[in-house]
Amino acid sequence: MGALQRFEQRLENLISGAFARAFRSAVQPVEISAALQREVDNNSQILSRDRRLAPNVFHVELSDADLERLSPYDNAMARDLSDQLEEHADAQGYVFPGDIEIHFEQAGDLPTGQMRVRSAARASVSGGGQEHRAHSRTPRAVLEINGTRHPLLPPGVVVGRGAESDVRINDPGVSRRHVEFECAERGDGPYVTVSDLGSTNGMLVDGQRVDHARLGDGSTVKIGSTVVRVLFTHDDDSRRS
């Protein structure tokens, strides 16, 4: 029995056949699994001869009717779909930058029985050496990475994949010590620069490949598949916090 057949049988056993009846003539679980695997295959990026970076966040768009039928079982299905993707990744030599996330969403333009899948690679991010300073000082700049914010306080922070970095990003395309953000406080606002630390893949600052640059409010620094956005905080932000 193949992996897709085992997956469908597990779901049907879990809910005593109710799922199969609900999805008769609609989107089938095995079709969703196949579509997710195709999405991974089509959007993986070469890291080395034996490894490819795969997207780990998926948005499965369904018609109103299909989403309504799916809703009682979406948590169980997401778990089994994640297991399927893990097995597929192991077989193909793919690596995920973080935990797999599968979200089911409504798409009013889709008829019953059709679906659409969107994906992105989003690395997990953890803070390091600056947390203890953030409690006693209000940062005038922060780094926004994959939905998380990390204070940027003088003299600065090192961002990379290794444990020795102040902010760690689980992105295979990021070096252990990839870039250093330096910050100085001036009367007219923070003075922020970024420097490449001899990384393997370099960096893009606002879309341009450079080794060093001064950054403004809203500047972006792309390392690996991850975008780091620099945001300056304002007095109103400090009062709200």
Side-chain angles (χ1 to χ4, degrees):
M1 182 182 295
L4 290 178
Q5 287 76 17
R6 291 197 304 271
F7 160 71
E8 191 170 37
Q9 186 177 63
R10 283 200 304 271
L11 277 179
E12 291 180 357
N13 291 339
L14 176 68
I15 55 182
S16 302
F19 190 88
R21 290 193 298 273
F23 270 78
R24 191 181 298 121
S25 76
V27 170
Q28 303 296 321
V30 68
E31 293 176 324
I32 298 176
S33 182
L36 290 172
Q37 292 185 27
R38 286 195 301 271
E39 184 73 10
V40 168
D41 292 338
N42 293 336
N43 292 281
S44 60
Q45 303 175 31
I46 296 175
L47 294 174
S48 65
R49 187 179 65 179
D50 301 320
R51 293 200 312 160
R52 298 176 70 95
L53 175 67
N56 61 314
V57 179
F58 302 89
H59 300 269
V60 180
E61 299 181 353
L62 300 163
S63 69
D64 297 350
D66 284 328
L67 187 62
E68 183 178 357
R69 293 184 182 97
L70 169 67
S71 58
Y73 321 115
D74 56 358
N75 290 334
M77 175 176 279
R79 288 192 297 269
D80 272 350
L81 288 170
S82 296
D83 292 342
Q84 282 291 305
L85 287 177
E86 290 280 6
E87 292 180 16
H88 184 63
D90 289 342
Q92 300 298 323
Y94 298 148
V95 293
F96 296 112
D99 293 338
I100 295 175
E101 299 179 22
I102 299 175
H103 307 280
F104 299 99
E105 301 173 353
Q106 180 180 359
D109 63 319
L110 290 178
T112 300
Q114 293 188 16
M115 71 181 124
R116 185 165 51 229
V117 178
R118 296 180 291 108
S119 66
R122 187 169 67 195
S124 59
V125 182
S126 59
Q130 277 211 333
E131 269 83 358
H132 66 284
R133 287 189 279 162
H135 292 299
S136 58
R137 302 177 62 184
T138 300
R140 300 184 67 187
V142 297
L143 302 179
E144 185 177 72
I145 312 170
N146 291 346
T148 65
R149 289 192 175 189
H150 304 266
L152 180 55
L153 295 168
V157 297
V158 172
V159 177
R161 184 167 46 85
E164 63 271 27
S165 295
D166 298 305
V167 178
R168 298 185 294 277
I169 303 176
N170 184 29
D171 182 336
V174 172
S175 297
R176 296 184 63 83
R177 286 170 51 88
H178 200 115
V179 294
E180 182 174 18
F181 291 86
E182 295 183 279
C183 181
E185 295 185 354
R186 297 184 175 181
D188 58 348
Y191 182 88
V192 179
T193 61
V194 63
S195 301
D196 184 84
L197 297 178
S199 66
T200 301
N201 297 319
M203 67 176 179
L204 296 176
V205 176
D206 294 328
Q208 301 296 316
R209 185 169 296 276
V210 296
D211 294 325
H212 177 84
R214 181 180 176 181
L215 305 174
D217 187 13
S219 290
T220 60
V221 180
K222 185 176 183 181
I223 55 176
S225 298
T226 301
V227 174
V228 181
R229 186 179 300 275
V230 177
L231 299 175
F232 293 173
T233 59
H234 305 285
D235 292 340
D236 291 343
D237 299 330
S238 301
R239 282 195 292 269
R240 283 195 295 267
S241 61

